[in-house]
Amino acid sequence: MKRVVIAGAAGRDFHDFNVAFRGREDAEVVAFTRAPGQNLGEADGGFRRYPAALAGDGYPDGIPVEPEADLERLVRDRDVDEVLFSYSDVSHEHVMHVASRAMAAGAEFRLLGPDAVMLSADVPVLAVDAVRTGCGKSQASRALAAELDSRGVTPVVVREPMPYGDLVERRVQRFETRADLDEAGVTIEEREEYEQHVDRGHVVYAGVDYEAVVEQAAAEADVLVWDGGNNELPFVRPDVHLVLADPLRPGAETGYHPGETNLRLADAVLLNKENSADPDDVDAVASAVRETNPDADVLHADSVVTVDDPDRVADARVLVVEDGPTLTHGDAAFGAGSVAAEQFGAAERVDPRDAAVGSIADVFDRYDHLGPVLPAMGYTDEQRADLEATIRRCDCDVVLAGTPHDLGRIVDVDVPVVRVRYRIEPHEWSFAGFVDDHAAELGLDD
């Protein structure tokens, strides 16, 4: 029997196990590893094992989740034959470093391809993902879901997993209202992805067991909209595949796993944020896209930023809070909040680094590319408390919230929280036209 370790980050790894290993008699997964620095929500009742109730026959005690730092020990002590790499938004170089560690310890190294991990759905699937995290894919998926809705077509959004807490309880999650999000006790990172969909009246599914997730989501949908996390491959096979690229990070389109695979699989590639990018970088990314996937349509768009109360921003000392994953593992130096601060005339951006406490200070230590911006980290109650305490320690007039969710509902601070909003504004194309062009694949041509 083949003995396997799955190197992951509490998402893709569990899906890969479920679809490729669960129920097999010729292979045993002896451990998962969690990525370096990953927070599994342990302070909020998080997990150190993939539970037996999800792992199925052959795993009466579940499957342990170990630090990736212990990979060599796991390979040697547990007689591991193969290390399977199952997480996203890392450089190609990083993937091969893990491969080298696995092979030097005596194991083979493998990646699963799309045919092994993409599920089939009973309804058409429109997938939106990206070459890196923070490209604006959720803006695009929201616009496409709204366009489908306007035609009397029921879209249901399926999100990539962020399974923290009790995994059995989170096997299948369905969110229709903000009250559903509150009841589930989702993290800030989950709110960033789910909240604006439900605010627009679109049901969101997520979870741990995506065979069950996709089956239940498809039962109430005319079209499934896959809103991918990071730069992850879709978990369900798309009939139409839109991939976003970011000219603010030229070179990333072919430098990261599995974003380059997404690029090569795309039916269309959307270059977003061109209004904030150097024209030479736009040209460079467009050229790389055409060279890598010459059959894909190349679309161009701006990311248009607005704020709810621009008068509070003008001439104010603002603390900019940005989307956490975009700044951290996405390697971006700024986001929509920083753009809004400049666009709407803030007098100063307050630097939060000296005011950071606890886990937020740890984030600044780990991601030394960060400037005067505060990542909206909130995987646990403790981390959310540290975020709030950091904001309170900053001497500012206004908190300018560039994170996609309603930060003012999550933190209790003494200064106004002004929300930043952003949308994709296409160049010489439209989301309606995109849907028209793919009506046959989406079952809309009747």
Side-chain angles (χ1 to χ4, degrees):
M1 177 182 291
K2 180 180 288 187
R3 294 171 63 80
V4 180
V5 165
I6 300 180
R12 162 111 256 160
D13 48 351
F14 298 156
H15 176 68
D16 285 357
F17 168 80
N18 291 340
V19 299
F21 291 96
R22 187 166 56 187
R24 282 178 56 176
E25 296 182 354
D26 62 339
E28 178 186 4
V29 174
V30 300
F32 293 96
T33 63
R34 63 180 186 263
Q38 184 185 5
N39 188 330
L40 296 184
E42 290 160 0
D44 286 348
F47 53 87
R48 289 186 180 273
R49 301 186 78 84
Y50 191 61
L54 295 173
D57 293 343
Y59 300 94
D61 299 318
I63 304 171
V65 180
E66 306 277 2
E68 190 179 291
D70 294 340
L71 179 63
E72 289 87 349
R73 176 186 61 79
L74 291 168
V75 170
R76 297 187 184 107
D77 292 355
R78 303 191 189 181
D79 297 322
V80 170
D81 301 300
E82 176 181 285
V83 173
L84 181 73
F85 191 92
S86 294
Y87 60 98
S88 61
D89 211 24
V90 291
S91 69
H92 293 322
E93 182 180 17
H94 177 92
V95 176
M96 289 312 300
H97 281 312
V98 178
S100 298
R101 292 174 59 200
M103 292 187 290
E108 295 182 343
F109 183 84
R110 187 159 69 107
L111 300 166
L112 290 179
D115 287 344
V117 300
M118 287 184 183
L119 301 168
S120 297
D122 292 334
V123 296
V125 176
L126 169 55
V128 182
D129 49 42
V131 300
R132 289 297 312 274
T133 192
C135 289
K137 57 190 172 296
S138 292
Q139 301 170 54
S141 65
R142 290 193 297 267
L144 287 165
E147 177 59 32
L148 293 169
D149 204 6
S150 73
R151 299 172 183 230
V153 176
T154 301
V156 172
V157 178
V158 179
R159 273 288 312 178
E160 194 221 1
M162 290 180 278
Y164 299 98
D166 189 319
L167 299 186
V168 176
E169 287 186 0
R170 290 172 172 242
R171 176 175 176 264
V172 177
Q173 296 177 288
R174 181 184 185 276
F175 304 106
E176 188 172 0
T177 66
R178 285 197 181 190
D180 294 336
L181 300 176
D182 294 340
E183 184 177 353
V186 298
T187 65
I188 284 179
E189 284 68 25
E190 290 168 294
R191 282 188 181 276
E192 287 179 338
E193 307 302 341
Y194 306 159
E195 191 173 89
Q196 292 197 51
H197 280 300
V198 300
D199 285 350
R200 289 162 171 77
H202 301 141
V203 171
V204 176
Y205 273 85
V208 182
D209 188 342
Y210 273 73
E211 291 173 307
V213 168
V214 169
E215 181 180 4
Q216 292 187 35
E220 59 178 296
D222 295 320
V223 176
L224 289 184
V225 178
W226 170 263
D227 185 352
N230 296 332
N231 62 353
E232 191 53 84
L233 295 172
F235 286 16
V236 57
R237 188 173 304 282
D239 297 280
V240 179
H241 193 184
L242 175 65
V243 174
L244 275 75
D246 187 354
L248 295 177
R249 290 172 283 178
E253 60 279 353
T254 54
Y256 286 79
H257 171 79
E260 183 180 347
T261 304
N262 278 330
L263 175 58
R264 292 178 180 275
L265 290 172
D267 297 311
V269 179
L270 168 55
L271 276 62
N272 192 21
K273 310 180 192 176
E274 292 190 359
N275 53 325
S276 298
D278 187 296
D280 289 340
D281 290 336
V282 174
D283 291 342
V285 174
S287 295
V289 167
R290 292 189 181 96
E291 180 178 350
T292 305
N293 185 348
D295 294 329
D297 295 328
V298 180
L299 308 175
H300 300 268
D302 295 338
S303 182
V304 177
V305 173
T306 60
V307 297
D308 286 356
D309 191 348
D311 289 341
R312 285 192 180 273
V313 179
D315 299 320
R317 302 177 68 251
V318 302
L319 172 64
V320 176
V321 180
E322 303 279 29
D323 170 70
T326 299
L327 294 187
T328 54
H329 61 78
D331 298 323
F334 64 92
S338 301
V339 173
E342 180 176 356
Q343 182 175 323
F344 293 95
E348 178 186 346
R349 283 197 293 158
V350 173
D351 192 331
R353 286 174 286 191
D354 289 340
V357 300
S359 60
I360 303 300
D362 293 340
V363 169
F364 282 112
D365 288 341
R366 182 178 179 197
Y367 298 99
D368 56 9
H369 70 280
L370 296 177
V373 292
L374 178 60
M377 308 297 289
Y379 289 98
T380 66
D381 287 343
E382 179 183 12
Q383 196 168 55
R384 287 189 291 274
D386 289 342
L387 177 66
E388 182 177 291
T390 298
I391 294 173
R392 284 180 166 273
R393 284 167 52 88
C394 290
D395 182 15
C396 62
D397 303 318
V398 170
V399 173
L400 193 55
T403 173
H405 77 291
D406 188 355
L407 182 67
R409 294 183 69 241
I410 305 302
V411 297
D412 181 13
V413 294
D414 296 329
V415 296
V417 178
V418 175
R419 190 170 182 181
V420 179
R421 302 180 191 271
Y422 35 97
R423 70 181 188 278
I424 290 176
E425 189 169 287
H427 298 183
E428 299 180 352
W429 62 280
S430 67
F431 286 104
F434 182 87
V435 172
D436 286 339
D437 290 343
H438 296 281
E441 299 101 305
L442 297 175
L444 308 180
D445 54 353
D446 295 334

